[in-house]
Amino acid sequence: MTHLLNADLHCHSVVSDGTLTPEALAERAKANGVQLWALTDHDEIGGQARALAAAQALGMRYLTGVEISVTFIGQTVHIVGLGFDASNAALLQGLRDTRGGRKQRAMEMSEGLAKVGIAAAFEGALPYVGNPELISRTHFARFLVDSGVCKDTNEVFRKYLTEGKPGYVPHRWATLKDAVTWITEAGGVAVVAHPARYKFTPNEEFALFTEFKGHGGQGVEVVTGSHSAAEYVTYAQTAKEFGLAASRGSDFHSPAESHTELGTLPLLSSTLTPVWELLSDRIQ
Ligand code: AMP
Ligand code: MN
Ligand code: MN
Ligand code: MN
């Protein structure tokens, strides 16, 4: 009956583009009834020790977590890693390399925004950045909302930060193979994050899951804050077709911005294999 577990295996802290500390997230998860939690900052595991300590102090079970940015046939795909050894040298180096170039990209984003009359966006975004190695589009979005350019972060992404828009700078992230290999060789399970968010054709999506499995990937997010109820059904089917375990996570970033609260999504269907069943010996 482990599909009944209130697991939330996807969220972000100030170590990447969330607004809460790992400790505040742990408290929020616990208050919402989360029984198994993972902090999954973008391209960074610097918050893992704090998250684990906070979870243990609250009597909440914990899996190590990360969300790695990958470029796959020209699009950005996110791969969540769960239950890995956070001291694994190849994983740490791979994540360091993946973070590299974010500052340069941010300065180019700022130049693009300057051309449409938004001056000094790089300097404006900096006070929102909790980790100097992890400047993200989200930090620009918060600056543009607080400075009155847009009414919310969704509007910022739509008008300024997505492909073809003035503040968008194409970026090459890790390869799918590298991300999956770093996670699995560190003893973890790799999971395709929020698959419905990508703009792949059916053939491209098939290629994503086929190659992901070929590299050793074992899971897919089925119940996530990025999916509609219909998409839970679609990706439950995908999990079965590809023989993947299913994950569940809110992708919570901030009380002010996130429409999905930690630990409040529907539970996984009993017809799926929960990803935590593959990780029982990695739960802390
Ligand atoms: P980056 O890694 O710098 O490209 O930033 C990606 C992050 O931007 C994602 O993890 C989300 O937190 C955020 N994001 C992407 N698209 C949107 C959107 N349409 N609205 C709000 N936030 C978004
Ligand atoms: Mn994010
Ligand atoms: Mn993501
Ligand atoms: Mn995320």
Side-chain angles (χ1 to χ4, degrees):
M1 300 299 274
T2 68
H3 63 277
L4 294 179
L5 198 70
N6 186 349
D8 194 320
L9 306 180
H10 190 151
C11 68
H12 299 272
S13 77
V14 289
V15 172
S16 64
D17 62 348
T19 62
L20 300 183
T21 60
E23 292 79 10
L25 284 168
E27 277 179 29
R28 203 170 177 104
K30 177 74 180 175
N32 290 346
V34 171
Q35 296 163 295
L36 176 64
W37 178 52
L39 171 66
T40 55
D41 279 309
H42 295 285
D43 307 326
E44 170 70 272
I45 55 176
Q48 293 303 305
R50 286 171 64 185
L52 171 63
Q56 287 182 334
L58 293 163
M60 186 165 58
R61 283 174 283 172
Y62 189 75
L63 280 168
T64 51
V66 69
E67 182 176 23
I68 305 181
S69 312
V70 158
T71 303
F72 182 76
I73 46 177
Q75 286 197 48
T76 299
V77 166
H78 287 168
I79 301 295
V80 163
L82 297 170
F84 49 80
D85 168 8
S87 68
N88 181 276
L91 173 65
L92 284 162
Q93 186 59 47
L95 294 176
R96 212 173 288 127
D97 292 344
T98 306
R99 291 194 297 275
R102 273 188 180 266
K103 187 173 176 197
Q104 179 64 31
R105 170 191 185 233
M107 291 191 292
E108 290 172 27
M109 287 170 60
S110 189
E111 285 167 23
L113 291 169
K115 287 185 186 141
V116 294
I118 300 168
F122 178 77
E123 292 75 11
L126 274 186
Y128 295 84
V129 176
N131 173 357
E133 284 187 33
L134 215 119
I135 310 181
S136 113
R137 285 184 290 164
T138 316
H139 303 114
F140 280 83
R142 292 189 183 127
F143 166 62
L144 294 182
V145 171
D146 289 351
S147 56
V149 176
C150 290
K151 70 175 191 323
D152 59 30
T153 54
N154 258 325
E155 185 186 346
V156 181
F157 275 88
R158 192 159 40 78
K159 290 189 175 164
Y160 295 106
L161 299 182
T162 42
E163 208 172 334
K165 300 299 157 66
Y168 183 77
V169 173
H171 194 78
R172 184 158 289 278
W173 303 106
T175 66
L176 181 64
K177 181 182 182 186
D178 282 347
V180 173
T181 305
W182 297 332
I183 295 163
T184 51
E185 293 201 344
V189 164
V191 176
V192 176
H194 43 62
R197 283 242 304 257
Y198 313 125
K199 308 267 181 291
F200 289 128
T201 64
N203 278 343
E204 289 170 339
E205 190 183 77
F206 184 85
L208 170 67
F209 283 108
T210 304
E211 292 191 29
F212 172 74
K213 268 215 70 145
H215 297 312
Q218 298 180 84
V220 56
E221 282 186 346
V222 172
V223 176
T224 139
S226 299
H227 284 181
S228 65
E231 287 161 348
Y232 300 158
V233 178
T234 303
Y235 289 98
Q237 194 54 39
T238 303
K240 289 176 198 167
E241 270 172 38
F242 286 88
L244 296 170
S247 193
R248 172 181 188 261
S250 57
D251 207 356
F252 182 83
H253 282 70
S254 154
E257 295 158 14
S258 295
H259 52 94
T260 308
E261 248 310 331
L262 282 155
T264 62
L265 286 170
L267 297 173
L268 282 185
S269 153
S270 61
T271 64
L272 297 167
T273 302
V275 73
W276 49 91
E277 277 189 9
L278 309 182
L279 288 162
S280 49
D281 60 337
R282 312 289 308 182
I283 294 175
Q284 292 178 282

